[in-house]
Amino acid sequence: MARVSLVWLERPGLEGLAPELVARAAGVELDRGGLLEAAVVSGPQAAAPPGLKGRLLGKPVVWLDLALEVGGGDDALRLARAALAVARAAGRAALGTLPPVYAPQPAQNVLVAGAGLAALSAAQEEAALGHPVLLATPFDAAHVPGQDDDPQEVSLLAARLPAQVELAPGTELTELTGAAGGFRARLAGPQGAGWQSFGAVVLAPPGQWASSCEAPGLDPALTQPVWQLRVQEVSGPPDGWLYAAVLAGTARPLTADSFARALRAALALAERPRVQVVLLYSEARVASDHGERLFRQCRQAGVLATRVAPGGLAVREGGRELAWPDPLLGQEMELAPDLIITADQARAARPAFLDNRLLWPSWESLVPDNPRFSGGRSSRTGLYILGALRGTAPGAARRVEAADAAAEMHERLAGKLVPMPVVRDKICARCLTCVRTCPHGVPRHVVDSIHCAPAGCLACGVCAAECPAQAIAPPGWSNPEMFAGLQRALALAAEPRLVLFACQNSALAAAGELSAGGHAWPAGLVINPVVCAGRVGEHLIMKALELGARAVLVAGCHEGNCRSVTGNLRSRLRAGQCSRTLGRLGLAPESVQFLHLASNQPRVLAQAVAQMAARALEG
Amino acid sequence: MKALMFLGCTVPVRNLNYELSARKVAARLGLELVDDPALACCGFPLKGTDQAAALTVAARALAQAAEHGLPLVSLCSACAAHLAEAEHRLKADPEAAAAVNERLAGVGLAYRPGVRVTHFMRFLLSEVGLEAIKARMVRDLSGFTFAPHYGCHYLKPSEALEGLDDPEDPQSLARLIQATGARALMHPSLKECCGGGVLGVDEELAGRMAGAKLKELGAAQVTALALVCPFCNVMYEGQQKKIAKSLETKLAVPVVYLTQVLGLGLGMSPEELGLGLNRVKPKELLQAMAG
Amino acid sequence: MRLNDGDPGFKHQVAAEPGGAGLKACFACAACTARCPVAGHLPEYDPRRIIRLTLLGRREEVLASPLIWRCSACYSCAEVCPQQVRFTDVLTAIKNLAARAGCAPPAARAGASLLAKHGRLLPVGEFENEKRAKLGLPAVEERPQDFQRLLGMAPEGREPGEGPA
Amino acid sequence: MVNTPPSTPILILGGGVAGLAAAVDLARRGLACTLAEREPALGGRARDFCCKAVSACARCGACRLADLLAEAAARPQITIYTQALATSARPAEGHGWQVELAPAGPAAPLPIGPGQPLPGRVSLAAQAVILAVGPQPFDPAGKSSLGYGRVPGVISALELEARLVQGAWEQRPAPAKLAFIQCVGSRDQSLGRLWCSRVCCGYALRLARLLKASRPDMDIAFFHMDVQDYGRAWEEELAGLRREMRFVRAMPGEVAAGAGGPEVVFALAEGKQMREAFDLVVLSQGLGPPAGAGALAQMFGLARTQDGFLGRAEEPVAAGAAGVFVAGACQGPRSLTESIDHAGLAAAAAAAYVASTKGAGRG
């Protein structure tokens, strides 16, 4: 049984919902007046029963002012659970509003634009979850594989496509924009072009081999890329040897799957009569399935595995001779090959509309190299990018991505509640700051007002923090609500009052671990959970100071780890600006600080908080 | 327990003190060593130029042991390893065994897989056991320090030898020394190669290899270096003076056989154990025994 | 070094010798060289380099090299090799090929002739056996005929048909 | 004592990142599942991993455990048992499996994180089973020449990580000179482990970079054969790492005890033998099949890959027995993020299997 107690649950809109029921659903004990370890309090603080305030002092506590929009029933249960999770995690915390406003979305259809293994897998997985899928393929039929796909696997998948998948052959996706409820896509097909709406979009164009350009200047008459090799036609002269050079990562190291393909070619060549294969590589990238076994098989078959430092390969004699320095023998090696095989990497052409800087700052921000964006996810919620376009290895890896994307997509589309920011049109100055800064592409400028695509929103609050007019309320996190929460919490806190804005993806979990381990926080600390550090704008920091906080620490994820791509960086920037402002005002600039943190770095957090407390005591 | 003694070429001519002490120790510990004058050369010296011949010669010894129905026990690490390796290879490769048998038929012998080949020290440990050996000790050698030397073929190739020791972290010889109450010096080069393998082709190189260890031990103040292989003895004892000269240094590292140490512990006299035949005499030890 | 000048068949030939098959598995990690006691005292002796030259087909260079006879056959390399190349065995295969090509140094060939002459590496005669008898050790014998017959060698250690050494 | 729900659509064995991810994925699909973890706490090996971020996220994925734990705890579809061990399994009538779970060891004094200890022996009918039992890191003592367990100052990479997690070097000075030795129990035919463990290069280099950040003058040597790729911007990162530490392309022949710390014996490219002392030698152990792979394979009649991992190499998640799927690194070496993603496919396959057998054979 959880060590958190639910002390009080009274809220308009939850009538008929016995506290016991909520408590059971949340897996906690109801308070019977005994010792408290932590608490979730529902209802306004002012209405708290007598004596409760005293009992709560110094305990982890979450104040829940459940928003009126909540429908009750399941929602209330979920909210109670979320609140308890925060209470457990936050340790010594006092906070106002927690949950975002929810707006129900109807189930929607999915566009899969592409062909090959990744596209077919995505269509199949999504259809299996009951969503109507439009599979827009540039080809005449679904079973056309990419160059790097296993054709058998692709035709098998194509043959088993469920009925929910509608095939649009000869159709290209040419434009894509966010829209209320999802995306609008312009599809150009045999019947002409037109816009259609979709709840979610998967981009998975088929992969093509792209030569990795092992060395410039090779004689084209001798040179073939791996995928063009017809090994049956190769054999050595009756009285001697045919030398075949396989270049696998001589210019820059290959990915493991490309290296494996080069190895397979080398092995096939080595097994031909009187063929001496010289495999030139800088790193043996054997991290593919059975890559090491394959590498050893090659050597056993007589392939000369030869290391070349990246860029160390020289091409001479009109591209018919190769030379490189061998550190092992301390001399220059030369080879006049009869055949040169160059390695390839699988790539897909990026559709031109993906370079639309208005919709996403850059490709890297759309598909960041961030562990939270693995498995087909992009920074645009509801937009999934799979396969060669993403740089994924052919085969199983593409099916893995498609399945992951489908499950996440399903939850967004299956009538689940999704958060929704609110833009107050009268205050909005149309400066488009939100359009430019939202990491998820939610706000859009349509006919002189800002419209939001709720399926994309993660409630990170970057828009609200950035909005110079303070016109945006992210779901359940309007500035006045945040201020009120801070005020309540700081009123309870001892001197010196300290505020930690804790990102729920990093600092909140770390704080929770510390609290669970009995960490002694400074008495005046208020831990204020936020969905993303990006929510913490200048006004929030300044408000905390205004309300009596001696120091403010904003803790967000490490660079490159933010679920909102750059929410942490924006937050760091804001904290820096606040600090400078304080300095200009003749106040201590170090009272506002930013900390990069991960959920499993509790000690770093404890240290930073302790330092903050020490500074506050000194000052 | 009975075993067929495999003396090899070097021990019965050059290392009589080793043979003598081993036989004495074996007898004292209740092991019966059977001799067969037909046994000679393990074949190892032929390996570099003609493996097939080396294998055939080894198979000859194995076939002779099979006729006796006894395990083959060698005082020489190289012989033991070569014979064990031959057995290992022939057992795994029936074609090679058939080829060898064709040649052995000419001398009226036949190889059959299953001959146990082992080094004398390993044999002591597996048949008598460390605890039993310890229990038989009558003379306490505490106060003396012996540096055990495992060398190469007592440990390697490990897959052909009985898994008594980890070739990277051998313990068996040190335990035998400790059984006498003496200290075993765990020095860095205890599994180094003596260089005996290249003595024939490059005496200077072999001298450098052995010299490194002798210098190390010279500084370590040991009672003696304790050996279990006649090849190591050639290098560390036989060549010691020469090596000292070529390295332009003074060396006086006493060398004994581990069987002699065991014999002393078992209560035998230095004479019985042939200690008088040792060339770099363990004076400290001899004085103590005399006094 | 021009790879086209090598003999790609050489590595297959070495691999076909008993114990030589491990050669081709080498991926040049140098654990053997690191561990080789000879290399520590003779820097130009480098097991990895010998394997490399063999793989590159430098037949004459390898077989005629005096370095291949510097191996002390201690098996340290074989024990540490992650690819089970067993360099000691590979080198034995190479040395055998060298011996067949007439490249073996006299010291390496001495074993065979001694065996043919005495049936052992060190001759034993009356002097040795007297010494042994004094210590109570049993007599040992020379039986060279066995080895001559077994190995098809002439009494002086030359193979039949071979010219004088 | 059987007073728990006797059936579950899908049973997941193993509560590490892969098992948690599979459970969460199933919940997202609206499917109920039961997660059985042997240890008192969920999280598996990822629990012991620290954040490797220096100036930016190192993409190690260790932080995703917290996300998964929170989500698994919040999803009502997921039933979690800790200290639960599968002892036997037999095909149920029609389809699915009847799996016996038994408490693993005495109950921990306090439940740690989500889940409750298995209340006693439980016989559970599951329509499908997902195995997410994780890999077994190689015991470096098995590579005797590298001195682990007998040469002071030789530790495994996981032990180094544990020291970092415990903050060992915040109290006493960090080593000044440190060596990483790669491929310990990987790419090694002599140990019968002829596979690349994929993750150790990135893992060790991130650890090294983290150490370097805490003590910039630390001298780090990285003994390796080939650096495997890790992520999209890896080549650029690698170029930076090469400037920060010594990359030595050689496998050491030995690590021996020395007066000034463990000594690494290796050869330079041109053949020169080196013997260098370090304060600490870290062995990057490879990943192998789970410890109980044989027993599990027998229990469910599973296929095993050439290398002994669970399932088949050619099929990403099929385990070779009807209704059984494999997720994460018990199927082959995988990083944390790869395991999490892979579990998604296993969940999809298990869900599809359950849907396809619905109504068939039951009753």
Side-chain angles (χ1 to χ4, degrees), chain A residues 342-387:
Chain A
T342 55
D344 309 294
Q345 315 249 40
R347 290 209 189 103
R350 189 185 303 171
F353 65 80
L354 284 183
D355 290 325
N356 187 338
R357 291 297 158 99
L358 193 73
L359 288 178
W360 29 78
S362 65
W363 171 253
E364 285 69 32
S365 74
L366 183 63
V367 189
D369 193 8
N370 173 327
R372 297 184 193 276
F373 287 90
S374 67
R377 292 166 188 79
S378 76
S379 67
R380 292 296 184 269
T381 314
L383 176 63
Y384 298 86
I385 294 172
L386 307 181

Short mmCIF file of all heavy atoms in Angstrom, two decimals, chain A residues 342-387:
data_model
loop_
_atom_site.label_atom_id
_atom_site.label_comp_id
_atom_site.label_asym_id
_atom_site.label_seq_id
_atom_site.Cartn_x
_atom_site.Cartn_y
_atom_site.Cartn_z
N THR A 342 31.77 -0.94 -54.16
CA THR A 342 31.66 0.10 -53.14
C THR A 342 30.41 -0.12 -52.30
O THR A 342 29.38 -0.58 -52.80
CB THR A 342 31.57 1.50 -53.78
OG1 THR A 342 30.50 1.52 -54.70
CG2 THR A 342 32.85 1.87 -54.48
N ALA A 343 30.51 0.18 -51.03
CA ALA A 343 29.39 -0.03 -50.11
C ALA A 343 28.33 1.05 -50.28
O ALA A 343 28.60 2.13 -50.81
CB ALA A 343 29.90 -0.02 -48.68
N ASP A 344 27.13 0.73 -49.84
CA ASP A 344 26.02 1.67 -49.93
C ASP A 344 25.37 1.84 -48.58
O ASP A 344 25.48 1.00 -47.72
CB ASP A 344 24.91 1.11 -50.84
CG ASP A 344 25.44 0.65 -52.15
OD1 ASP A 344 25.89 1.50 -52.90
OD2 ASP A 344 25.40 -0.58 -52.38
N GLN A 345 24.67 2.93 -48.45
CA GLN A 345 23.79 3.11 -47.29
C GLN A 345 22.39 3.31 -47.84
O GLN A 345 22.21 3.89 -48.90
CB GLN A 345 24.18 4.35 -46.50
CG GLN A 345 25.66 4.50 -46.26
CD GLN A 345 26.05 4.31 -44.81
OE1 GLN A 345 25.53 3.44 -44.14
NE2 GLN A 345 26.98 5.09 -44.33
N ALA A 346 21.40 2.86 -47.07
CA ALA A 346 20.02 3.05 -47.50
C ALA A 346 19.57 4.46 -47.14
O ALA A 346 19.77 4.90 -46.01
CB ALA A 346 19.12 2.03 -46.81
N ARG A 347 19.00 5.15 -48.10
CA ARG A 347 18.48 6.49 -47.83
C ARG A 347 17.18 6.65 -48.59
O ARG A 347 16.96 6.01 -49.60
CB ARG A 347 19.46 7.55 -48.32
CG ARG A 347 20.69 7.60 -47.48
CD ARG A 347 21.32 8.97 -47.45
NE ARG A 347 22.62 8.81 -46.79
CZ ARG A 347 23.77 8.78 -47.44
NH1 ARG A 347 23.81 8.96 -48.72
NH2 ARG A 347 24.89 8.61 -46.79
N ALA A 348 16.34 7.54 -48.10
CA ALA A 348 15.15 7.88 -48.83
C ALA A 348 15.19 9.37 -49.11
O ALA A 348 15.71 10.14 -48.32
CB ALA A 348 13.91 7.53 -48.01
N ALA A 349 14.63 9.74 -50.27
CA ALA A 349 14.62 11.16 -50.61
C ALA A 349 13.65 11.87 -49.68
O ALA A 349 12.54 11.40 -49.44
CB ALA A 349 14.17 11.32 -52.06
N ARG A 350 14.07 12.99 -49.12
CA ARG A 350 13.23 13.74 -48.19
C ARG A 350 12.26 14.61 -49.01
O ARG A 350 12.70 15.40 -49.84
CB ARG A 350 14.11 14.61 -47.30
CG ARG A 350 13.36 15.25 -46.17
CD ARG A 350 14.27 16.19 -45.42
NE ARG A 350 15.46 15.53 -44.92
CZ ARG A 350 16.49 16.17 -44.38
NH1 ARG A 350 16.49 17.49 -44.31
NH2 ARG A 350 17.52 15.52 -43.93
N PRO A 351 10.94 14.46 -48.79
CA PRO A 351 10.01 15.29 -49.54
C PRO A 351 10.30 16.77 -49.28
O PRO A 351 10.67 17.15 -48.17
CB PRO A 351 8.64 14.91 -48.98
CG PRO A 351 8.84 13.62 -48.28
CD PRO A 351 10.27 13.58 -47.84
N ALA A 352 10.11 17.57 -50.32
CA ALA A 352 10.48 18.98 -50.23
C ALA A 352 9.72 19.69 -49.10
O ALA A 352 10.26 20.55 -48.42
CB ALA A 352 10.22 19.66 -51.56
N PHE A 353 8.47 19.26 -48.86
CA PHE A 353 7.69 20.00 -47.85
C PHE A 353 8.22 19.80 -46.45
O PHE A 353 7.89 20.55 -45.54
CB PHE A 353 6.20 19.63 -47.93
CG PHE A 353 5.91 18.19 -47.58
CD1 PHE A 353 5.83 17.79 -46.27
CD2 PHE A 353 5.70 17.25 -48.59
CE1 PHE A 353 5.56 16.48 -45.96
CE2 PHE A 353 5.43 15.94 -48.27
CZ PHE A 353 5.37 15.55 -46.96
N LEU A 354 9.08 18.80 -46.25
CA LEU A 354 9.64 18.61 -44.92
C LEU A 354 10.67 19.68 -44.59
O LEU A 354 11.13 19.79 -43.46
CB LEU A 354 10.27 17.22 -44.80
CG LEU A 354 9.26 16.08 -44.65
CD1 LEU A 354 9.99 14.76 -44.46
CD2 LEU A 354 8.33 16.33 -43.47
N ASP A 355 11.06 20.45 -45.59
CA ASP A 355 11.98 21.54 -45.30
C ASP A 355 11.24 22.84 -45.03
O ASP A 355 11.83 23.91 -45.04
CB ASP A 355 12.97 21.71 -46.47
CG ASP A 355 13.93 20.54 -46.52
OD1 ASP A 355 14.29 20.04 -45.43
OD2 ASP A 355 14.30 20.11 -47.63
N ASN A 356 9.96 22.75 -44.76
CA ASN A 356 9.15 23.93 -44.51
C ASN A 356 9.51 24.54 -43.15
O ASN A 356 9.12 24.05 -42.10
CB ASN A 356 7.67 23.54 -44.52
CG ASN A 356 6.78 24.76 -44.44
OD1 ASN A 356 7.20 25.82 -43.98
ND2 ASN A 356 5.55 24.60 -44.90
N ARG A 357 10.28 25.62 -43.18
CA ARG A 357 10.80 26.21 -41.95
C ARG A 357 9.71 26.87 -41.11
O ARG A 357 9.89 27.14 -39.93
CB ARG A 357 11.89 27.23 -42.26
CG ARG A 357 13.15 26.60 -42.81
CD ARG A 357 13.75 25.68 -41.76
NE ARG A 357 14.62 24.67 -42.36
CZ ARG A 357 15.92 24.76 -42.40
NH1 ARG A 357 16.53 25.78 -41.87
NH2 ARG A 357 16.65 23.81 -42.94
N LEU A 358 8.59 27.13 -41.72
CA LEU A 358 7.53 27.75 -40.93
C LEU A 358 6.88 26.71 -40.01
O LEU A 358 6.45 27.02 -38.91
CB LEU A 358 6.47 28.35 -41.86
CG LEU A 358 5.49 29.27 -41.15
CD1 LEU A 358 6.16 30.58 -40.78
CD2 LEU A 358 4.26 29.54 -42.02
N LEU A 359 6.83 25.47 -40.49
CA LEU A 359 6.18 24.43 -39.69
C LEU A 359 7.14 23.81 -38.68
O LEU A 359 6.73 23.38 -37.62
CB LEU A 359 5.63 23.34 -40.60
CG LEU A 359 4.40 23.75 -41.41
CD1 LEU A 359 3.96 22.61 -42.30
CD2 LEU A 359 3.26 24.16 -40.49
N TRP A 360 8.38 23.71 -39.01
CA TRP A 360 9.38 23.17 -38.08
C TRP A 360 10.71 23.83 -38.40
O TRP A 360 11.08 24.00 -39.55
CB TRP A 360 9.49 21.65 -38.18
CG TRP A 360 9.17 21.09 -39.51
CD1 TRP A 360 9.94 21.07 -40.62
CD2 TRP A 360 7.92 20.50 -39.91
NE1 TRP A 360 9.29 20.51 -41.67
CE2 TRP A 360 8.05 20.12 -41.26
CE3 TRP A 360 6.72 20.21 -39.23
CZ2 TRP A 360 7.02 19.50 -41.96
CZ3 TRP A 360 5.71 19.59 -39.94
CH2 TRP A 360 5.86 19.25 -41.27
N PRO A 361 11.41 24.23 -37.37
CA PRO A 361 12.64 24.99 -37.59
C PRO A 361 13.66 24.26 -38.46
O PRO A 361 14.33 24.87 -39.28
CB PRO A 361 13.19 25.21 -36.19
CG PRO A 361 12.05 25.00 -35.27
CD PRO A 361 11.12 24.06 -35.94
N SER A 362 13.75 22.97 -38.31
CA SER A 362 14.76 22.24 -39.08
C SER A 362 14.41 20.75 -39.01
O SER A 362 13.60 20.32 -38.19
CB SER A 362 16.15 22.45 -38.49
OG SER A 362 16.19 21.88 -37.20
N TRP A 363 15.00 20.01 -39.90
CA TRP A 363 14.82 18.55 -39.89
C TRP A 363 15.24 17.97 -38.54
O TRP A 363 14.58 17.10 -37.98
CB TRP A 363 15.63 17.93 -41.03
CG TRP A 363 15.70 16.44 -41.02
CD1 TRP A 363 16.76 15.67 -40.68
CD2 TRP A 363 14.64 15.54 -41.36
NE1 TRP A 363 16.44 14.34 -40.79
CE2 TRP A 363 15.14 14.23 -41.21
CE3 TRP A 363 13.33 15.71 -41.77
CZ2 TRP A 363 14.37 13.10 -41.46
CZ3 TRP A 363 12.56 14.58 -42.03
CH2 TRP A 363 13.08 13.29 -41.87
N GLU A 364 16.35 18.49 -38.01
CA GLU A 364 16.84 17.98 -36.72
C GLU A 364 15.85 18.22 -35.60
O GLU A 364 15.76 17.44 -34.66
CB GLU A 364 18.19 18.62 -36.37
CG GLU A 364 19.37 18.08 -37.17
CD GLU A 364 19.32 18.48 -38.63
OE1 GLU A 364 18.80 19.58 -38.94
OE2 GLU A 364 19.77 17.69 -39.48
N SER A 365 15.10 19.32 -35.70
CA SER A 365 14.13 19.56 -34.64
C SER A 365 12.86 18.75 -34.88
O SER A 365 12.12 18.44 -33.96
CB SER A 365 13.79 21.05 -34.55
OG SER A 365 12.96 21.42 -35.63
N LEU A 366 12.62 18.37 -36.12
CA LEU A 366 11.46 17.53 -36.42
C LEU A 366 11.70 16.09 -35.99
O LEU A 366 10.84 15.43 -35.41
CB LEU A 366 11.15 17.59 -37.92
CG LEU A 366 9.91 16.83 -38.38
CD1 LEU A 366 8.66 17.42 -37.74
CD2 LEU A 366 9.79 16.86 -39.89
N VAL A 367 12.90 15.59 -36.29
CA VAL A 367 13.25 14.22 -35.89
C VAL A 367 14.52 14.31 -35.07
O VAL A 367 15.61 14.01 -35.55
CB VAL A 367 13.46 13.33 -37.14
CG1 VAL A 367 13.61 11.88 -36.72
CG2 VAL A 367 12.32 13.48 -38.11
N PRO A 368 14.43 14.76 -33.83
CA PRO A 368 15.65 14.96 -33.06
C PRO A 368 16.30 13.63 -32.68
O PRO A 368 15.60 12.63 -32.54
CB PRO A 368 15.17 15.71 -31.82
CG PRO A 368 13.73 15.44 -31.71
CD PRO A 368 13.22 15.09 -33.06
N ASP A 369 17.59 13.64 -32.55
CA ASP A 369 18.31 12.45 -32.11
C ASP A 369 18.27 12.44 -30.58
O ASP A 369 19.20 12.83 -29.90
CB ASP A 369 19.76 12.51 -32.61
CG ASP A 369 20.45 11.18 -32.44
OD1 ASP A 369 19.77 10.20 -32.09
OD2 ASP A 369 21.68 11.11 -32.66
N ASN A 370 17.15 12.02 -30.06
CA ASN A 370 16.82 12.18 -28.65
C ASN A 370 16.14 10.89 -28.22
O ASN A 370 15.25 10.41 -28.91
CB ASN A 370 15.86 13.39 -28.57
CG ASN A 370 15.26 13.64 -27.20
OD1 ASN A 370 15.02 12.71 -26.43
ND2 ASN A 370 15.00 14.90 -26.91
N PRO A 371 16.60 10.31 -27.11
CA PRO A 371 16.04 9.00 -26.75
C PRO A 371 14.53 9.02 -26.56
O PRO A 371 13.88 7.98 -26.64
CB PRO A 371 16.74 8.65 -25.44
CG PRO A 371 17.45 9.87 -25.01
CD PRO A 371 17.63 10.75 -26.19
N ARG A 372 13.97 10.16 -26.31
CA ARG A 372 12.51 10.22 -26.15
C ARG A 372 11.79 10.21 -27.49
O ARG A 372 10.57 10.19 -27.54
CB ARG A 372 12.13 11.47 -25.37
CG ARG A 372 12.70 11.47 -23.97
CD ARG A 372 12.22 12.66 -23.20
NE ARG A 372 12.99 12.83 -21.98
CZ ARG A 372 12.74 12.19 -20.85
NH1 ARG A 372 11.76 11.33 -20.80
NH2 ARG A 372 13.48 12.41 -19.79
N PHE A 373 12.54 10.31 -28.57
CA PHE A 373 11.91 10.32 -29.89
C PHE A 373 12.30 9.09 -30.70
O PHE A 373 12.40 9.13 -31.91
CB PHE A 373 12.28 11.60 -30.65
CG PHE A 373 11.59 12.81 -30.11
CD1 PHE A 373 12.16 13.57 -29.12
CD2 PHE A 373 10.33 13.16 -30.57
CE1 PHE A 373 11.52 14.67 -28.60
CE2 PHE A 373 9.67 14.26 -30.06
CZ PHE A 373 10.27 15.02 -29.06
N SER A 374 12.55 8.00 -30.01
CA SER A 374 12.86 6.77 -30.74
C SER A 374 11.53 6.19 -31.23
O SER A 374 10.46 6.67 -30.88
CB SER A 374 13.58 5.79 -29.82
OG SER A 374 12.72 5.36 -28.80
N GLY A 375 11.64 5.14 -32.02
CA GLY A 375 10.43 4.43 -32.43
C GLY A 375 9.50 5.26 -33.29
O GLY A 375 8.29 5.28 -33.07
N GLY A 376 10.05 5.93 -34.28
CA GLY A 376 9.20 6.58 -35.29
C GLY A 376 8.63 7.92 -34.90
O GLY A 376 8.04 8.61 -35.72
N ARG A 377 8.79 8.33 -33.63
CA ARG A 377 8.18 9.59 -33.22
C ARG A 377 8.91 10.78 -33.83
O ARG A 377 10.12 10.75 -33.99
CB ARG A 377 8.23 9.73 -31.70
CG ARG A 377 7.35 8.76 -30.96
CD ARG A 377 7.72 8.73 -29.48
NE ARG A 377 7.02 7.67 -28.78
CZ ARG A 377 7.38 6.39 -28.81
NH1 ARG A 377 8.44 6.02 -29.50
NH2 ARG A 377 6.69 5.49 -28.16
N SER A 378 8.15 11.82 -34.09
CA SER A 378 8.77 13.09 -34.46
C SER A 378 8.35 14.10 -33.40
O SER A 378 7.55 13.81 -32.53
CB SER A 378 8.30 13.53 -35.85
OG SER A 378 6.99 14.05 -35.76
N SER A 379 8.88 15.30 -33.50
CA SER A 379 8.52 16.30 -32.50
C SER A 379 7.09 16.81 -32.73
O SER A 379 6.52 17.47 -31.87
CB SER A 379 9.51 17.46 -32.53
OG SER A 379 9.38 18.17 -33.75
N ARG A 380 6.54 16.52 -33.90
CA ARG A 380 5.14 16.87 -34.15
C ARG A 380 4.28 15.69 -33.72
O ARG A 380 4.33 14.64 -34.38
CB ARG A 380 4.92 17.15 -35.63
CG ARG A 380 5.59 18.40 -36.11
CD ARG A 380 4.97 19.60 -35.40
NE ARG A 380 5.52 20.84 -35.90
CZ ARG A 380 6.57 21.45 -35.37
NH1 ARG A 380 7.19 20.92 -34.34
NH2 ARG A 380 7.00 22.59 -35.85
N THR A 381 3.56 15.87 -32.65
CA THR A 381 2.76 14.76 -32.16
C THR A 381 1.76 14.37 -33.26
O THR A 381 1.10 15.23 -33.82
CB THR A 381 2.02 15.16 -30.89
OG1 THR A 381 2.96 15.81 -30.06
CG2 THR A 381 1.43 13.97 -30.20
N GLY A 382 1.68 13.09 -33.52
CA GLY A 382 0.77 12.63 -34.57
C GLY A 382 1.44 12.50 -35.92
O GLY A 382 0.88 11.93 -36.84
N LEU A 383 2.65 13.02 -36.03
CA LEU A 383 3.41 12.84 -37.28
C LEU A 383 4.54 11.85 -36.99
O LEU A 383 5.35 12.06 -36.09
CB LEU A 383 3.99 14.18 -37.76
CG LEU A 383 4.89 14.09 -39.00
CD1 LEU A 383 4.13 13.59 -40.21
CD2 LEU A 383 5.51 15.45 -39.30
N TYR A 384 4.57 10.78 -37.77
CA TYR A 384 5.57 9.73 -37.54
C TYR A 384 6.42 9.58 -38.78
O TYR A 384 5.92 9.68 -39.90
CB TYR A 384 4.88 8.41 -37.18
CG TYR A 384 4.09 8.55 -35.91
CD1 TYR A 384 2.79 9.04 -35.94
CD2 TYR A 384 4.67 8.28 -34.69
CE1 TYR A 384 2.08 9.23 -34.76
CE2 TYR A 384 3.97 8.46 -33.50
CZ TYR A 384 2.68 8.95 -33.55
OH TYR A 384 2.00 9.14 -32.39
N ILE A 385 7.68 9.40 -38.59
CA ILE A 385 8.62 9.30 -39.70
C ILE A 385 9.39 8.00 -39.54
O ILE A 385 10.02 7.77 -38.51
CB ILE A 385 9.53 10.52 -39.74
CG1 ILE A 385 8.66 11.74 -40.06
CG2 ILE A 385 10.62 10.36 -40.78
CD1 ILE A 385 9.34 13.06 -39.96
N LEU A 386 9.29 7.15 -40.54
CA LEU A 386 9.82 5.80 -40.40
C LEU A 386 10.82 5.46 -41.50
O LEU A 386 10.85 6.08 -42.55
CB LEU A 386 8.69 4.76 -40.50
CG LEU A 386 7.46 4.89 -39.61
CD1 LEU A 386 6.52 3.73 -39.90
CD2 LEU A 386 7.86 4.87 -38.15
N GLY A 387 11.57 4.42 -41.23
CA GLY A 387 12.35 3.76 -42.27
C GLY A 387 13.56 4.54 -42.75
O GLY A 387 14.22 5.25 -41.99
#
